[in-house]
């Protein structure tokens, strides 16, 4: 794709607005110039979506599902271009991008196409009364996409919103505009009706994001990102009582019991702590380990952290990626310093790697393992969103559950145990939207996805997404026997 990123409105690129630069997280060098949407450009995008809404909403679900399959096919045809765009913006490894980020984008469109096409409506017959439901789209939906998994999470929202009959305006993160810009080109190439999918670029507060969510022509907002930003969006749409779907932050707990397969628990925790540089809302930042295996588990996890490879994105064996920006790198490093100030023992990492090449200008931090902090320390309470965890010993199952639930967040948790009874008992006691037992990030796209507490509102996935992106109307008819 071009180094210049434009908006996409009404089926055509729009190269208007002030420009800003994005940077390669690997080297810190500028990589793209992006147009920023002001209020007037956002107005045009919303108007294009609203103009396209009647025709798109009137299509049968089967036809909209067919469009989703065309988009999925086209994603696979331009697979390598999407991989390159995602890597240029995020610095993540080519292995992860080829096996997770871009394939899941195509899978999201196909999955929601099948679910929508096969979904039944409900009907109730009571004596001489028949009641049934029909569903209508919400209208124009604002889709606000984060920077950590930009293509995966954009398609996770775009697919169900479109197949439910809505038209949309997408705002990618200002750090990662590339893959969604390619998706807009793909939409045009397959002939998706103009205005059904629109993309505007820019920042959040005081910029494109704020103009979009506050726009009177927007009927609903879906957002994935920080809890603080979600709270701001909720306040801004409160007067109009717009529906919102939020997948927000997490301070996720992992519980390792002494009867667990320790090899599996260590390797699983390496994934759950350090995948994507720890920049996944589902990553584990708090680990609680039964005391009898605490030292062994901690030593082994620290040793594995030290062996993660800081290769370049094109190296297939790269296992550590940079932080998304200099600002975010500095935030993560500030927590490393805070941990030391609070009295933590640094078992691995805690600093910045040095390479002796252009990567020294990038946004890297070391994967870090901490112990020794009290439960009320800021490092144990606040979301860091980096490759770091703190490990605490526990003595009883009840204590482990209480420690895990002692958080303002409630997105995800992991449980490592060989006891089936304990797995069911503990998983059902955790205050989290998702609980994995002896695994992590294993997903069935039909299941509900979302969190409790500060981790979000609503659920995405399967029919749960379709429920959010549409409104039911109950129609009740009194049947008159013997009359036409």
């Amino acid at each position: 794709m071009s180094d210049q990123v434009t908006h996409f409105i009404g089926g055509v690129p729009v190269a208007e607005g002030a420009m800003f630069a994005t940077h390669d997280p690997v080297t810190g060098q500028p990589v793209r110039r992006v147009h920023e949407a002001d209020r007037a450009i956002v107005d045009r995008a919303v108007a294009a979506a609203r103009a396209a809404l009647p025709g798109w909403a009137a299509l049968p679900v089967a036809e909209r599902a067919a469009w989703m399959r065309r988009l999925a096919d086209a994603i696979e045809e331009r697979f390598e271009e999407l991989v390159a765009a995602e890597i240029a913006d995020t610095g993540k490894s080519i292995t992860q991008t080829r096996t997770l980020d871009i394939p899941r984008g195509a899978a999201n469109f196909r999955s929601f196409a099948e679910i929508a096409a096969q979904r039944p409506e409900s009907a109730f017959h009571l004596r001489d009364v028949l009641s049934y439901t029909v569903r209508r789209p919400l209208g124009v939906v604002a889709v606000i996409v984060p920077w950590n998994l930009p293509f995966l999470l954009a398609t996770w929202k775009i697919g169900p919103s479109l197949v439910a009959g809505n038209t949309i305006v997408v705002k990618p993160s200002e750090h990662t505009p590339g893959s969604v810009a390619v998706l807009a080109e793909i939409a045009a190439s397959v002939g998706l009706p103009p205005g059904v999918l629109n993309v505007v670029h820019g920042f959040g507060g005081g910029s494109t994001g704020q103009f979009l969510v506050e726009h009177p022509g927007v009927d609903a907002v879906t957002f994935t990102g920080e809890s603080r930003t979600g709270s701001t969006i909720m306040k801004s749409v409160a007067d109009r009582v717009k529906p919102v779907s939020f997948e927000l932050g997490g301070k996720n707990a992992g519980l390792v019991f002494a009867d667990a397969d320790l090899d599996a628990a260590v390797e699983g925790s390496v994934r759950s702590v350090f995948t994507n540089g720890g920049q996944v809302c589902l990553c584990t930042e708090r680990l609680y380990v039964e005391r009898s295996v605490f030292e062994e588990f901690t030593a082994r996890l620290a040793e594995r952290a030290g062996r993660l490879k800081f290769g370049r994105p094109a190296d297939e064996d790269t296992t550590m990626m940079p932080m998304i920006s200099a600002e975010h790198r500095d935030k993560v490093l500030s927590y490393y310093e805070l941990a030391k100030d609070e009295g933590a023992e640094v078992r691995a990492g805690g600093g910045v790697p040095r390479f002796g090449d252009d990567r020294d200008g990038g946004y890297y931090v070391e994967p870090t393992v901490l112990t020794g902090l009290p439960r009320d320390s800021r490092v144990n309470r606040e979301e860091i969103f980096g490759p770091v965890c703190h490990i605490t010993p526990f003595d009883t199952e009840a204590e482990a559950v209480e420690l895990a639930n002692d958080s303002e967040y409630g997105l995800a948790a992991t449980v490592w145990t060989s006891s089936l009874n304990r797995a069911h008992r503990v998983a059902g006691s955790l205050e989290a939207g998702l609980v994995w037992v002896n695994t992590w990030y294993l997903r069935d796209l039909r299941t509900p996805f979302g969190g409790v507490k500060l981790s979000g509102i609503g659920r995405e996935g399967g029919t749960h997404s379709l429920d959010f992106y549409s409104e039911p109307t109950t129609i009740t008819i009194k049947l008159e026997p013997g009359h036409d």
Side-chain angles (χ1 to χ4, degrees):
M1 66 174 296
S2 169
D3 290 341
Q4 178 175 304
V5 180
T6 65
H7 315 295
F8 185 81
I9 299 173
V12 296
V14 175
E16 297 179 22
M19 301 195 76
F20 62 92
T22 66
H23 295 81
D24 177 5
V26 174
T27 65
Q29 294 300 306
V31 64
R32 303 191 197 285
R33 288 179 55 77
V34 186
H35 289 274
E36 179 183 1
D38 58 17
R39 286 189 187 274
I41 294 171
V42 171
D43 284 346
R44 287 162 58 187
V46 174
R50 190 148 294 280
L53 180 62
W56 181 252
L59 291 178
V61 172
E63 288 190 32
R64 295 196 297 264
W67 280 110
M68 300 305 100
R69 296 187 191 98
R70 291 184 196 115
L71 287 170
D73 291 343
I75 286 170
E76 291 171 347
E77 291 169 4
R78 295 179 67 171
F79 186 86
E80 291 301 331
E81 184 179 357
L82 285 161
V83 167
E86 196 83 336
I87 290 173
D89 284 345
T90 64
K92 64 181 63 183
S93 74
I94 194 168
T95 300
Q96 177 183 315
T97 310
R98 282 178 172 166
T99 58
L100 173 64
D101 298 75
I102 308 307
R104 251 295 293 277
N108 285 337
F109 282 116
R110 287 204 177 96
S111 174
F112 285 114
E114 295 306 316
I115 292 167
Q118 298 174 17
R119 186 186 191 194
E121 295 291 356
S122 59
F124 304 90
H125 186 198
L126 179 64
R127 294 188 297 273
D128 59 349
V129 176
L130 175 66
S131 297
Y132 63 95
T133 59
V134 295
R135 300 196 74 93
R136 296 186 175 87
L138 297 176
V140 175
V141 178
V143 178
I144 313 296
V145 182
W147 47 257
N148 58 329
L149 299 166
F151 191 70
L152 187 159
L153 291 175
T155 55
W156 179 241
K157 296 175 181 294
I158 292 169
S161 182
L162 291 185
V163 81
N166 303 283
T167 55
I168 61 176
V169 181
V170 184
K171 192 203 85 68
S173 166
E174 63 271 21
H175 298 296
T176 54
S179 57
V180 175
V182 175
L183 180 61
E185 295 175 5
I186 288 172
S189 72
V190 301
L192 190 72
V196 170
L197 168 64
N198 306 276
V199 179
V200 292
H201 299 285
F203 302 88
S207 181
T208 313
Q210 182 176 343
F211 304 153
L212 181 59
V213 300
E214 293 180 351
H215 199 287
V218 167
D219 299 298
V221 178
T222 178
F223 167 76
T224 296
E226 284 187 296
S227 300
R228 179 176 55 187
T229 306
S231 176
T232 300
I233 292 173
M234 181 176 286
K235 292 173 184 175
S236 71
V237 303
D239 286 347
R240 293 180 179 270
V241 200
K242 293 181 184 179
V244 294
S245 175
F246 291 158
E247 193 273 286
L248 306 176
K251 189 70 177 177
N252 305 309
L255 278 59
V256 181
F257 290 91
D259 65 352
D261 178 336
L262 214 58
D263 291 340
V266 170
E267 290 305 311
S269 297
V270 169
R271 290 184 61 235
S272 74
V273 174
F274 302 119
T275 291
N276 214 58
Q279 299 168 116
V280 180
C281 57
L282 301 168
C283 277
T284 305
E285 293 193 8
R286 297 179 295 139
L287 276 164
Y288 301 103
V289 181
E290 195 160 359
R291 194 174 300 275
S292 62
V293 295
F294 172 79
E295 285 299 338
E296 180 183 358
F297 177 90
T298 301
R300 291 177 63 177
L301 185 66
E303 189 273 334
R304 285 289 286 110
R307 287 196 285 120
L308 294 171
K309 184 177 178 182
F310 289 97
R312 293 183 182 273
D315 299 334
E316 293 187 354
D317 57 351
T318 293
T319 50
M320 271 301 296
M321 64 178 281
M323 302 296 94
I324 191 64
S325 66
E327 179 184 16
H328 188 59
R329 174 203 59 198
D330 293 345
K331 173 196 169 184
V332 173
L333 288 174
S334 74
Y335 277 100
Y336 287 6
E337 292 306 308
L338 176 63
K340 298 169 188 175
D341 292 342
E342 290 183 326
E345 181 178 354
V346 180
R347 299 292 190 103
V352 177
R354 294 301 175 193
F355 306 104
D357 55 37
D358 59 352
R359 287 174 296 170
D360 287 337
Y363 310 138
Y364 289 92
V365 301
E366 292 177 336
T368 296
V369 176
L370 306 168
T371 59
L373 291 177
R375 65 195 296 176
D376 61 351
S377 67
R378 286 180 56 198
V379 168
N380 270 328
R381 305 299 298 179
E382 299 173 12
E383 183 183 36
I384 301 173
F385 216 63
V388 56
C389 69
H390 181 273
I391 311 178
T392 301
F394 68 83
D395 294 301
T396 68
E397 179 183 303
E399 180 190 8
V401 170
E402 195 271 331
L403 286 166
N405 288 339
D406 184 20
S407 175
E408 293 182 312
Y409 297 94
L411 183 55
T414 56
V415 178
W416 300 90
T417 179
S418 62
S419 167
L420 184 60
N421 286 338
R422 174 181 283 131
H424 284 291
R425 188 170 58 243
V426 171
S429 300
L430 294 175
E431 297 169 359
L434 303 95
V435 180
W436 283 287
V437 177
N438 297 331
T439 188
W440 178 76
Y441 208 72
L442 183 62
R443 294 277 293 116
D444 183 325
L445 302 186
R446 297 169 297 180
T447 60
F449 180 96
V452 300
K453 304 179 185 178
L454 290 182
S455 291
I457 295 175
R459 293 294 184 270
E460 296 178 308
T463 58
H464 307 277
S465 287
L466 299 180
D467 284 343
F468 171 72
Y469 291 111
S470 61
E471 289 279 11
T473 296
T474 299
I475 299 172
T476 299
I477 300 176
K478 190 176 189 307
L479 305 175
E480 299 289 345
H483 295 279
D484 292 333

